Amino acid sequence: MRTQRDRIPEIKSSREIEKMRVAGRMVADVLALLKDMVKPGVTTGQLNDAAAAKMKEMGGKPSFLGYHDYPAVVCISIDEEVVHGIPGGCNYRKAVTPDRRLEDGQVISLDCGVILPDEPGAPFASSARGWHGDSAVTLPVGEISPEKKRLLEVCRECLWAGIRAVKPGVKLSQIAGTIESFVRAQGNYGIVENYVGHGIGRALHEAPQVPNYVSDKMEDWELRKGYVIAIEPMVNLGTKATRVLQDGWTVVTKDGKPSAHFEHTVAVTETGFEVLTLRADGGSTH
Ligand code: MF3
Ligand code: CO
């Protein structure tokens, strides 16, 4: 997003990162719960409701609900939907968003942001002040085709290649280059350019932008200890081109081919990186 440009990335203290670790753990717990629910017949509204209930139970608030009027707790994007798909049962433009049943053979991306609020009594919305965590995973619904399986693997693996490259002194172009060259080596996939990763902290989107491809237009910050970034490659089975649907949110591939999206929130440490969006036992859906 434009607002992240021309701003100096913030350095978080270890106490602040401790809070982001708690927020990140809540994100991981929500995604683990949703992963268990994903199967043919489940609706997107049921997944969104379950995420809301889980966040309430943990004392977290959704980062997305109300963010630029986004109407849901999680983003759910199916098959050719790249990101920002709206689940069913949400109030949007004076109507209720249509619910959809998951079908065998689909791929479903679940994108979740949680705020650890400064004050527990804050409203259940992205307007709550606190620390954010942000993570996304794309999952198979039932049995999927080999090419979809491979797409998911490539996207997950390029995220981790990018994460493993994180350490102080490394430039963002090196992270982007690692992700890009990993994907290019796997075949003719489209790396989405219209949406990128971001700094994260007390706001969902902070400086710097974290693209998944190298360009001479990027702000090429050198990573420093205390930076926290959300790395989130989106990889398409077809071309990189995307468009936004009439609802103003849902991003789809122009060619209608499926897309995958994986994301983690990552802190830059003295010696390398720490993934903050993990469960208490260090595990993750991805
Ligand atoms: N993970 C996405 C992002 O960081 C989700 C944002 S959804 C929105 O950009 F509704 F909050 F915009
Ligand atoms: Co994000």
Side-chain angles (χ1 to χ4, degrees), residues 11 17-18 25 27 39 49 58 68 81 97 101 111 118 126 157 163 165 188 194 205 238 253 266-267:
I11 294 190
I17 288 175
E18 169 57 35
R25 191 172 299 158
V27 174
K39 44 179 79 69
D49 290 349
M58 296 184 297
H68 292 277
E81 297 169 1
T97 57
R101 265 178 215 292
D111 191 349
D118 296 338
S126 65
E157 287 304 313
I163 291 171
N188 203 13
N194 292 339
H205 294 134
T253 56
V266 181

Side-chain angles (χ1 to χ4, degrees), residues 35-207:
K35 181 183 180 177
D36 279 344
M37 292 175 67
V38 166
K39 44 179 79 69
V42 169
T43 74
T44 57
Q46 286 167 345
L47 293 167
N48 189 66
D49 290 349
K54 183 71 186 170
M55 285 184 202
K56 280 195 175 133
E57 175 199 311
M58 296 184 297
K61 317 274 172 178
S63 302
F64 303 166
L65 180 68
Y67 181 86
H68 292 277
D69 288 331
Y70 183 74
V73 169
V74 287
C75 298
I76 300 185
S77 310
I78 297 171
D79 283 342
E80 78 284 2
E81 297 169 1
V82 180
V83 281
H84 303 167
I86 304 173
C90 302
N91 294 314
Y92 185 54
R93 293 178 172 169
K94 297 181 178 144
V96 176
T97 57
D99 209 359
R100 284 192 292 171
R101 265 178 215 292
L102 305 189
E103 290 168 25
D104 189 57
Q106 290 176 329
V107 290
I108 176 177
S109 151
L110 304 168
D111 191 349
C112 177
V114 174
I115 307 168
L116 172 71
D118 296 338
E119 303 156 45
F124 190 72
S126 65
S127 55
R129 285 178 57 80
W131 294 94
H132 291 253
D134 188 7
S135 181
V137 60
T138 306
L139 297 165
V141 181
E143 206 44 54
I144 60 171
S145 69
E147 60 176 7
K148 280 183 167 175
K149 256 184 211 163
R150 187 80 195 113
L151 173 71
L152 267 46
E153 272 169 23
V154 168
C155 191
R156 179 184 177 279
E157 287 304 313
C158 80
L159 165 62
W160 278 97
I163 291 171
R164 284 192 298 267
V166 168
K167 64 176 179 194
V170 165
K171 286 185 149 192
L172 283 175
S173 57
Q174 293 174 267
I175 305 298
T178 301
I179 294 169
E180 180 175 8
S181 48
F182 180 92
V183 175
R184 302 262 181 257
Q186 306 306 311
N188 203 13
Y189 294 96
I191 302 173
V192 173
E193 295 182 1
N194 292 339
Y195 303 87
V196 295
H198 48 94
I200 178 168
R202 289 188 70 76
L204 173 62
H205 294 134
E206 297 184 354

Side-chain angles (χ1 to χ4, degrees), residues 1-7 67-68 205-207 209:
M1 298 198 182
R2 294 285 155 267
T3 49
Q4 296 157 223
R5 289 188 75 95
D6 304 317
R7 303 194 57 178
Y67 181 86
H68 292 277
H205 294 134
E206 297 184 354
Q209 292 194 334

